[in-house]
Amino acid sequence: MAKKLINHPDEIIDDMLVGILRMHGDVLRRCEDDPRAVVRTTLEPGKVGIVIGGGSGHEPAFIGYVGEGLADGVAVGNIFASPSPYPILTAAKEVDQGNGVLLIYGNYSGDNMNFSMAAELAEMDGHQVKELVVHDDVASAPKGEEHKRRGIAGEVFVYKVAGAKARTGASLDEVYATTEKANNWTRTIGIALEPCSLPQTGKPIFSIGPDEMEIGMGVHGEPGIHRVKLMSAEEVANRLVEAICEDFDYDGSDVAVLVNGLGATSLLELYILYDNMADALAKRNIRIHRSFVGEYITSQEMSGCSLTMMKLDEELKAMIDAPGKTCCFHF
């Protein structure tokens, strides 16, 4: 049984929201019409609104990406479960400053259904809305079927690009076009060493041997593509870089990279992995323009990590370098 610092498993989402809003009330506020919708305390008039969301259990995602230069609102779901259409709709209506709203979410059946329903309801109320589905996980569908892939840590780069582009005064169509380019040029693959658990049960959601690791594991415990013997950090870095570069042509390019911990992997390990990954990229003449190392999208207390790469042109360089500030991050 996993040990959790909670009060009651049926109240953990509301308890978490009360805590984060008490801590960061200068940045975030709850919407009156739906307590699972949270928006920025200060919205920017005339700017395209960016709304994100998904299940809880991935903190700092998704609420941690609401702030200046990133998202304007978020819809919060239960653990590993999509928010219903109503907090999505509430957040979208709240952040619409007259130039429309872009909804960004990962490619999961519940999110696809609920965000699309919210978009339809918002449009019926007179709001201009576009949807963008993130699909960066190379392990979840073969090359050529990218539209079937899950959205995982690559969502962080997509949020960053969308928020930065919106702050330039771009139209909804322009924000969508630049963000979709970022989405299409982003790839992620991860590994799991140990499982996570659901607070309601306290039990692991999958099992794995003491000398095994899973390549391509999803952030909700979805099966990976290979279960192998535990590798060294250097072997893992080479394996992940190879998988990503076989899927998309990064050789000779400038890239942004994200080494993401899944909840129970130490920074010590992540920095070792980053060093080995940087060596593997250098051998391919891939130049790292910007790096991020830490916990950006977690999976409760899962042990493991993921590598994300986004190919950069001059426009995307400007977007990834643009300042951004949320309750959790300064970009």
Side-chain angles (χ1 to χ4, degrees):
M1 297 290 288
K3 299 175 182 177
K4 301 281 187 181
L5 290 173
I6 60 175
N7 294 315
H8 191 284
D10 294 335
E11 299 171 356
I12 55 174
I13 308 305
D14 289 332
D15 287 350
M16 180 271 292
L17 286 173
V18 169
I20 197 168
L21 291 165
R22 189 171 188 176
M23 175 71 183
H24 299 292
D26 58 328
V27 179
L28 306 171
R29 64 176 175 86
R30 236 171 175 172
C31 296
E32 292 184 3
D33 290 343
D34 196 304
R36 291 292 185 92
V38 175
V39 300
R40 292 174 55 188
T41 55
T42 304
L43 297 170
E44 299 170 57
K47 186 184 76 66
V48 169
I50 308 296
V51 171
I52 63 176
S56 297
H58 303 299
E59 289 71 29
F62 298 89
I63 196 169
Y65 297 104
V66 176
E68 296 178 11
L70 282 102
D72 300 293
V74 62
V76 180
N78 290 327
I79 297 291
F80 297 170
S82 172
S84 78
Y86 303 106
I88 305 167
L89 173 64
T90 298
K93 293 167 70 173
E94 194 84 10
V95 307
D96 191 351
Q97 299 296 294
N99 282 316
V101 178
L102 177 61
L103 305 181
I104 304 175
Y105 52 95
N107 193 17
Y108 301 92
S109 57
D111 291 314
N112 290 334
M113 178 178 66
N114 292 336
F115 274 85
S116 292
M117 186 179 298
E120 292 179 10
L121 293 171
E123 289 172 344
M124 290 171 61
D125 283 345
H127 299 271
Q128 185 183 7
V129 179
K130 280 186 173 292
E131 303 171 61
L132 191 144
V133 183
V134 183
H135 47 67
D136 58 306
D137 181 11
V138 301
S140 53
K143 188 174 182 178
E145 298 183 18
E146 288 82 1
H147 64 285
K148 296 181 180 180
R149 291 176 172 174
R150 301 179 293 233
I152 48 176
E155 293 182 35
V156 176
F157 285 162
V158 175
Y159 301 157
K160 182 68 179 64
V161 169
K165 186 67 175 183
R167 291 196 97 188
T168 67
S171 69
L172 179 58
D173 286 341
E174 290 168 335
V175 172
Y176 178 87
T178 298
T179 308
E180 179 66 349
K181 177 171 64 174
N183 189 27
N184 289 334
W185 289 6
T186 299
R187 299 290 188 275
T188 302
I189 188 168
I191 62 155
L193 305 178
E194 296 288 349
C196 60
S197 65
L198 296 176
Q200 287 80 3
T201 66
K203 297 179 180 179
I205 60 175
F206 65 91
S207 60
I208 191 166
D211 62 343
E212 294 179 325
M213 55 182 279
E214 184 105 2
I215 298 175
M217 174 70 72
V219 291
H220 308 107
E222 300 98 333
I225 51 177
H226 299 293
R227 182 163 289 195
V228 299
K229 295 298 182 181
L230 186 64
M231 300 177 181
S232 69
E234 183 177 11
E235 290 171 322
V236 169
N238 288 332
R239 186 75 173 260
L240 299 187
V241 167
E242 181 181 10
I244 287 177
C245 290
E246 284 181 350
D247 194 82
F248 189 79
D249 183 13
Y250 289 98
D251 288 3
S253 300
D254 296 318
V255 298
V257 299
L258 169 63
V259 176
N260 173 62
L262 293 177
T265 305
S266 68
L267 275 171
L268 181 152
E269 297 163 85
L270 296 180
Y271 281 120
I272 293 172
L273 186 69
Y274 173 80
D275 180 57
N276 295 145
M277 178 273 302
D279 286 340
L281 294 183
K283 292 177 183 177
R284 295 174 176 267
N285 194 29
I286 299 173
R287 298 172 296 275
I288 299 175
H289 175 76
R290 193 81 183 268
S291 302
F292 304 86
V293 177
E295 291 188 337
Y296 288 81
I297 293 186
T298 63
S299 184
Q300 288 285 288
E301 75 280 18
M302 187 185 292
S303 176
C305 63
S306 62
L307 170 64
T308 299
M309 293 170 50
M310 180 172 70
K311 183 176 179 178
L312 301 175
D313 59 9
E314 292 306 311
E315 181 186 31
L316 292 182
K317 283 183 183 178
M319 298 301 102
I320 207 71
D321 289 341
K325 181 181 178 182
T326 75
C327 62
C328 295
F329 300 105
H330 286 196
F331 287 92

